[in-house]
Amino acid sequence: MRKHLSTFLGLAWLVFGAAHAEPARYALDADHTYATFAIDHFGASVNRARFDEVAGSVRFDPVAKAGAIDLFVQVASVYSGSRGFDEHLLSPDLFDARQYPTMRFVSDRLVFDGERLVEVPGQLTLLGRTLPVTLKANQFKCYPNKRARTEACGGDFEAVIDRTQWGMNYLVDAGMPKNVRITATIEAFRQ
């Protein structure tokens, strides 16, 4: 009887202990992690720019379909292809990089539909304000990365936000749209 009880307890620990294990930690791959935005420019063109300096942490447990993301974006790393536009983006009219040098996105939940990651609800801090934003997962996959010699997980995520909710009101009265499409491309290596 004791043998059966100890076997049962051992199996129970394996099943329930594994289910409650900490998610694995992943280090961001700087070569494949960045954030972008796109906003209509009076119906004539679309202004786009990219932030190349993104740091933070990722935790992911594929069995439990759970994880957390904490990303910091350095505003000064913005690049639009136009030095004059980049300087304006950094000014108090828009991102006010001197007063607010970083943006931050934090999520402690991943939403799956079966095996497919569909969204990442979180909080976006921009211009000193923190509001909820849900990133839609356009794609997500984990794979063995030969260069890093470990598993890599990554995806492409997007949302449309109303920039005025964060106090970015530049040219709204002149007809510039409030809505901005933001994207986050993230890849990270299992540690």
Side-chain angles (χ1 to χ4, degrees), residues 119-148:
E119 63 184 29
V120 181
Q123 301 285 321
L124 175 64
T125 301
L126 169 65
L127 296 173
R129 295 183 188 177
T130 303
L131 295 166
V133 168
T134 296
L135 297 175
K136 175 187 162 200
N138 294 324
Q139 61 190 52
F140 177 81
K141 181 180 179 179
C142 295
Y143 66 97
N145 186 291
K146 291 181 182 178
R147 180 176 59 99

Side-chain angles (χ1 to χ4, degrees), residues 68-88:
I69 299 172
D70 190 353
L71 301 175
F72 293 88
V73 177
Q74 296 301 318
V75 174
S77 73
V78 71
Y79 178 74
S80 68
S82 164
R83 186 165 50 183
F85 186 42
D86 291 348
E87 289 171 0
H88 191 215

Side-chain angles (χ1 to χ4, degrees), residues 9-10 23 28 30-31 44 46 51-52 56 64 67 79 84 93 105 112 128 140 168:
L9 290 174
L28 292 178
D31 292 336
V46 176
F51 299 91
D52 286 326
Y79 178 74
D93 284 343
F105 179 78
F112 280 80
F140 177 81
M168 190 180 286

